[in-house]
Amino acid sequence: MRPARHITFLILLMLTFSIPGISQSWDFAKEKDGIKLYTRKDPGKPIKAYKGDCIIHAPAEKIFTMLEDVNHTEWWDKNLSQIKVLLYEKNKRARYYLVYDLSWPVTDRDLCVEAITTIDPVTGISKITAYPIPGLVPENKEMIRIKDYHQTWTVKPIGTDLTYVELEGYADPSGSIPDWLANMLIVDSPYKVISNVKQRMEKK
């Protein structure tokens, strides 16, 4: 390999592993009740990102309707002690404020979110992508504000009554956290939320 080409190759290799946003491979974490969980360590991030997916025996439209409606959140994470809807535009966007009630001595966390909905009219694939909004709700000195966060639901029809559902995200709780909290964020909570959706949709 010529020197110039060798240098170019090294630069491209370095960029591949250093530029934020370049996808890293997912590591399998566990599978239970047909739900697969994965984690991934992204460069510069203190904890791992998470992904969970499964096949649900229900129409995609029915599943998406439940995921999109922030006015009915009884199936959401049970660690949420407060859910306040600030804005809701059906099939477009929503804004809401969340408080995570954590066991003592861990400080509670809060989060202000905007969720954007996209629907592909050709493929029928719908997505709900959420990210934090700074300054919309004043910070509470008794809680730690989650500022580095993103989450995306993907709903893909694969049959009349068969749907692929994926939840991918990341949440940095900030501050010092115990192992059980990190595990809850990247494995336990995603599993429970997806499981709640699956059980509700397949309930007969």
Side-chain angles (χ1 to χ4, degrees):
M1 182 180 290
R2 294 180 180 178
R5 291 183 179 180
H6 181 67
I7 293 172
T8 301
F9 172 78
L10 288 177
I11 292 174
L12 289 172
L13 186 63
M14 290 170 63
L15 288 174
T16 300
F17 289 97
S18 62
I19 295 178
I22 295 294
S23 296
Q24 305 294 317
S25 60
W26 290 98
D27 297 317
F28 177 76
K30 75 173 186 178
E31 180 176 1
K32 184 178 179 181
D33 301 326
I35 300 170
K36 295 179 181 179
L37 277 298
Y38 306 85
T39 62
R40 184 178 70 195
K41 186 67 170 69
D42 291 330
K45 298 295 185 181
I47 66 173
K48 296 178 180 179
Y50 59 83
K51 182 177 75 169
D53 61 27
C54 70
I55 302 297
I56 298 179
H57 293 266
E61 183 178 354
K62 182 180 179 181
I63 297 171
F64 171 74
T65 296
M66 187 181 80
L67 295 177
E68 189 271 342
D69 188 358
V70 296
N71 290 312
H72 295 87
T73 58
E74 59 275 3
W75 58 272
W76 284 24
D77 193 328
K78 299 304 180 183
N79 293 299
L80 289 168
S81 61
Q82 182 179 346
I83 303 173
K84 184 178 181 182
V85 178
L86 307 173
L87 171 72
Y88 176 58
E89 296 178 3
K90 186 175 177 61
N91 293 340
K92 292 182 179 180
R93 64 172 180 157
R95 288 181 173 180
Y96 44 89
Y97 173 72
L98 308 174
V99 174
Y100 287 88
D101 183 16
L102 303 175
S103 300
W104 186 89
V106 181
T107 304
D108 290 349
R109 264 65 173 176
D110 67 347
L111 173 66
C112 192
V113 172
E114 178 159 52
I116 302 298
T117 296
T118 59
I119 304 172
D120 189 319
V122 177
T123 63
I125 297 174
S126 56
K127 292 179 180 287
I128 303 171
T129 301
Y131 53 88
I133 309 176
L136 187 61
V137 175
E139 293 190 31
N140 188 327
K141 293 182 179 180
E142 297 182 355
M143 289 183 273
I144 295 177
R145 177 63 55 88
I146 296 176
K147 298 178 180 179
D148 190 359
Y149 164 89
H150 65 83
Q151 180 171 278
T152 299
W153 282 100
T154 300
V155 180
K156 179 181 179 180
I158 55 177
T160 304
D161 293 309
L162 209 59
T163 305
Y164 170 79
V165 174
E166 177 186 281
L167 175 62
E168 180 180 337
Y170 175 85
D172 180 359
S174 300
S176 179
I177 62 170
D179 291 342
W180 67 261
L181 177 55
N183 188 66
M184 182 191 80
L185 288 170
I186 66 176
V187 177
D188 293 344
S189 289
Y191 165 75
K192 289 177 181 177
V193 172
I194 297 173
S195 180
N196 287 342
V197 174
K198 192 173 188 294
Q199 290 176 18
R200 284 176 175 270
M201 291 294 100
E202 295 183 343
K203 185 176 181 181
K204 295 182 180 180

